[in-house]
Structure formats: structure tokens, C-alpha cells
Amino acid sequence: MSIDPKATRGYRNRNPGNIEHVPANKWQGLVDPPSDGRFCRFTSHEFGIRALAALLVTYQDRHNLRTPRAIIERWAPKVENDTAAYIAVVAQRIGVGPDDTIGLHRHEHLRPLVEAIIHHECAGLSYPAPVIDRALTLAGVPPAPPVTLREVAAATGTGRGAVLVDAAGIATAVAQAAPAIQALGTLAPAVAIAVIAAAVVGVLAWRLRRPA
């Protein structure tokens, strides 16, 4: 009988990587109580996915684990997992070999690894792309802007292009500023709006001054 991914413990805890609770690890977005007795509980799925991504990046930076095999052997040790099968599934979903090098500061490498682990941990669970991208932005590995302003302008012409340039720039600026915008939630609304507007205008001005 198949399992509903949204009935899994990882989904209920908003912790789709099933990260075990360790009191010393003060993850952003933990609820009170912060665990279900073993695993962390988060206020949102984005914070749970952020913790998963941050932990994987730590594996690379602190422990020099740079292949699917090395990462999964630490993530899912053989004492309680079919680690070989886990490695094979994750590598296949990423589209690399088990011993190929991946760089987890690159969104295009970190995102498929995060998605593969979530899929394996939570019975095939799949999040919408914007949820994953917001979480990885919170973890400091945002997606690259889709196009440069000059590419938009060249492709669309001066009049319509100018409108799309502004739209593309604002969308990119807002996406990249997502963690800071969330942090502004405690400010008075008028102050928060002014800070966000200034940041967006600043990013657009910088992008327009950049050489091609």
C-alpha cells in the first residue's frame, strides 16, 4: 500500500529531511517544543528545507564531503538505512554518478540533492519549485537571476523591454532579498515598506550601471 507523502512524519514536522533534534543546534524556525521526541519541528516547510540545505553545505565545508556517496553515507548511516540503495536513488535523481563531485554552494547542484533527499525521506514528497527556492535562498544559496537586464531589453525592444526590464529586476531583487524582508516583519509597516523600496531601487540602479 502506498503512503501519502503528506502523512509522513517529515511533512507533519515541516522537517522533510528528518533532521534529529540536538539542543545545541539552534536552527532558525524551530517551534516550541522544538522536537517530536526525536526529530526537529519547524514553523514552516521553508525553514525545515533551509535546515536540510544548511546541513548539507556544512558536510561539504567542514567535512569535505563532495560526492553523493560520501554525503549520503553520513546523512543516512548503514546502522539504520539501506545506504547503498539510498545513494543509488539520490545519484540517479541528481543525474550524476555516486562518486562524481558536486558543489553545494551552487544552486543547480544543491537543489536536486535536497529534492532527492526529501523524495526519499518522505515517500516521494515533492514541493513546488518556489518553496524550494525560497528555502535555499534562506540558506544562502539562491537561484541565479533568469536573465540580465540587457538581455531582456535586447530581446524585447526599447519600449516593451523597459517595462520588462523593471519587472525582471524587481522580481530578482525581491527574491534575493527574501530573508531580509522576512526579518523586517517586526518593524512598523511604513518603515518596512520604505526599507524594502529603497533596497529594490538600489539593486535596479546597480544592475543598470553594470557593464554587459
Side-chain angles (χ1 to χ4, degrees):
M1 184 177 67
S2 62
I3 301 173
D4 179 1
K6 292 186 177 181
T8 59
R9 193 175 191 177
Y11 188 86
R12 292 196 310 272
N13 287 337
R14 302 180 185 89
N15 175 14
N18 285 322
I19 297 171
E20 294 194 11
H21 176 62
V22 177
N25 293 338
K26 307 298 184 183
W27 294 113
Q28 294 180 24
L30 287 173
V31 302
D32 186 19
S35 82
D36 66 358
R38 179 183 178 186
F39 296 101
C40 293
R41 299 170 62 238
F42 291 93
T43 58
S44 73
H45 293 280
E46 284 88 348
F47 275 121
I49 299 167
R50 175 204 171 275
L52 164 57
L55 193 52
L56 292 173
V57 171
T58 297
Y59 283 3
Q60 176 179 279
D61 293 349
R62 187 175 298 172
H63 304 290
N64 199 33
L65 306 181
R66 299 180 180 276
T67 67
R69 186 186 307 280
I71 292 166
I72 298 302
E73 282 180 347
R74 184 178 180 91
W75 181 271
K78 296 177 182 178
V79 65
E80 58 181 11
N81 296 277
D82 184 349
T83 305
Y86 201 154
I87 292 167
V89 169
V90 166
Q92 182 179 30
R93 287 185 60 84
I94 297 173
V96 300
D99 298 306
D100 287 347
T101 299
I102 55 178
L104 299 186
H105 287 281
R106 296 174 59 182
H107 185 271
E108 65 270 25
H109 286 184
L110 180 59
R111 177 175 169 174
L113 177 58
V114 165
E115 291 178 319
I117 288 175
I118 290 172
H119 186 273
H120 193 86
E121 292 282 342
C122 296
L125 178 63
S126 177
Y127 285 95
V131 173
I132 300 291
D133 287 344
R134 284 195 298 270
L136 297 195
T137 298
L138 288 170
V141 188
V147 289
T148 67
L149 297 179
R150 281 187 171 79
E151 286 171 341
V152 174
T156 60
T158 55
R160 181 166 166 265
V163 175
L164 292 180
V165 161
D166 287 346
I170 290 171
T172 299
V174 170
Q176 293 178 342
I181 290 172
Q182 184 171 16
L184 294 174
T186 57
L187 297 178
V191 176
I193 291 170
V195 172
I196 294 168
V200 170
V201 169
V203 171
L204 286 176
W206 172 75
R207 287 171 65 88
L208 287 170
R209 287 199 303 270
R210 284 193 307 168

